[in-house]
Every structure is written in structure tokens, then in C-alpha cells.
């Protein structure tokens, strides 16, 4: 276990201390079946935030995502999922770093937002998804992004562009 992981584990409460009854406006996904039901039945596009409570950058970004969830509530449904707890979904959706936001439209991944630099950057990228620019000359519809089969993965690093690596051996 590296120094960063050890430090975050030992000092997690300094960064994030969830309390029973927290007033988070972004609901947490608790299971794969719950996620599947939401993305297939939602009338609005779904923004799914992969995060970790031990990731200082994720915790730092959460108030901004809370604000964006409130600002865009009529055009985008926000949910969050703990990448450390739901490793099968990290692998399934090819999450390579946290925080990462997946935007689902009509049950499929339509956009991936990562390497978030600021509140303005996040706002602009989310609005570009829910309020697409006028016709750009291409008549071809955007293809859904690829999704891998399920496998166990463990988040190794957090922060902008951090990688999430798999525990699987390459001997398969």
C-alpha cells in the first residue's frame, strides 16, 4: 500500500465525514440493478458521478457538482456512486480515474466528463451535453461509447486524471 493510499485511509475523516441524514442533493446509487433501472427509465439524461470519499479532489469537487445538480435539475438527473464500493461498475464503464461523470441518454453512455479543471469548466461541459450547439454540419448521430464486461477493479489514485487500475492478472 503506497503512502498516498495510507495517508488518505488514516486521514479520511479530515477530508470527508459523512453524517447520517446528510443534506446531499445528489442521491447515491447502491446497486447495479438500481443504476440500470434509473438509466433505462429516466425521462431526463442521467449524470452519474464516480467518486470516492477518500479522494480529496472528489470531496473538493462535490459542492460544485451539488450546485450544478441544482442549476440543471430540469434538464439532467444527477446521481453519485462510490467507485471503491462498486468496482464492477468501474470496470464495466471503463472508468480510468476519479472523479469521472458519465452522461447517459436513452439508456446508453453518451458522454464522459473527466479532467475537470474548475466550476466553469464543469458547467460548460454539462451544458454542452444538455444544450447541444446548433447543427455543426454532421448529420451522423453520435454512437454510444463502448462498455466492457464486468470485472473487479480497484481505484489506485484520485484527482484530476487519476487512473483506476484492475486487480485482474494478465494471464487470462
Amino acid at each position: 500500500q503506497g503512502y498516498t493510499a495510507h495517508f488518505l485511509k488514516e486521514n479520511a475523516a479530515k477530508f470527508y465525514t459523512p453524517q447520517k441524514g446528510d443534506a446531499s442533493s445528489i442521491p447515491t446509487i447502491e446497486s447495479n440493478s438500481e443504476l440500470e433501472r434509473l438509466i433505462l427509465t429516466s425521462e431526463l439524461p442521467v449524470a452519474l458521478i464516480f467518486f470516492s470519499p477518500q479522494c480529496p479532489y472528489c470531496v473538493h469537487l462535490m459542492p460544485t457538482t451539488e450546485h450544478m445538480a441544482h442549476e440543471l435539475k430540469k434538464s439532467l438527473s444527477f446521481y453519485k456512486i462510490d467507485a471503491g464500493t462498486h468496482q464492477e461498475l468501474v470496470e464495466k464503464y471503463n472508468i480510468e480515474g476519479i472523479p469521472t461523470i458519465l452522461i447517459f441518454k436513452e439508456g446508453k453512455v453518451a458522454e464522459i466528463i473527466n479532467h475537470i479543471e474548475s466550476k466553469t469548466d464543469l458547467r460548460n461541459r454539462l451544458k454542452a451535453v444538455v444544450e447541444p450547439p446548433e447543427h455543426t454540419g454532421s448529420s451522423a448521430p453520435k454512437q454510444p461509447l463502448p462498455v466492457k464486461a464486468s470485472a473487479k477493479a480497484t481505484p489506485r489514485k484520485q484527482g484530476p486524471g487519476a487512473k483506476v487500475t484492475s486487480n485482474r492478472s494478465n494471464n487470462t
Side-chain angles (χ1 to χ4, degrees), residues 1-123:
Q1 188 175 33
Y3 173 78
T4 303
H6 175 72
F7 175 81
L8 289 172
K9 185 176 183 180
E10 295 297 315
N11 295 287
K14 293 179 185 173
F15 296 107
Y16 178 79
T17 308
Q19 302 292 321
K20 191 168 188 144
D22 265 354
S24 175
S25 64
I26 301 177
T28 301
I29 299 293
E30 299 296 338
S31 70
N32 189 15
S33 59
E34 179 184 6
L35 173 61
E36 294 297 323
R37 181 183 54 76
L38 285 169
I39 62 176
L40 292 174
T41 62
S42 179
E43 293 180 16
L44 297 174
V46 173
L48 180 63
I49 305 160
F50 282 83
F51 80 105
S52 172
Q54 288 80 30
C55 165
Y57 189 73
C58 297
V59 174
H60 174 75
L61 189 64
M62 199 51 72
T64 299
T65 54
E66 296 271 349
H67 180 78
M68 292 294 100
H70 178 72
E71 186 177 313
L72 299 172
K73 67 184 174 188
K74 292 183 180 179
S75 55
L76 192 59
S77 296
F78 282 78
Y79 297 92
K80 60 188 175 187
I81 190 159
D82 185 335
T85 303
H86 299 283
Q87 296 174 2
E88 72 282 359
L89 293 173
V90 167
E91 183 68 24
K92 179 179 180 180
Y93 291 109
N94 303 315
I95 303 301
E96 294 182 356
I98 54 174
T100 294
I101 302 173
L102 299 182
I103 308 294
F104 292 88
K105 288 185 176 180
E106 299 175 4
K108 298 190 184 322
V109 177
E111 190 71 37
I112 300 172
I113 299 175
N114 52 23
H115 304 289
I116 301 161
E117 309 252 336
S118 66
K119 182 177 180 178
T120 302
D121 177 44
L122 179 59
R123 175 185 290 117

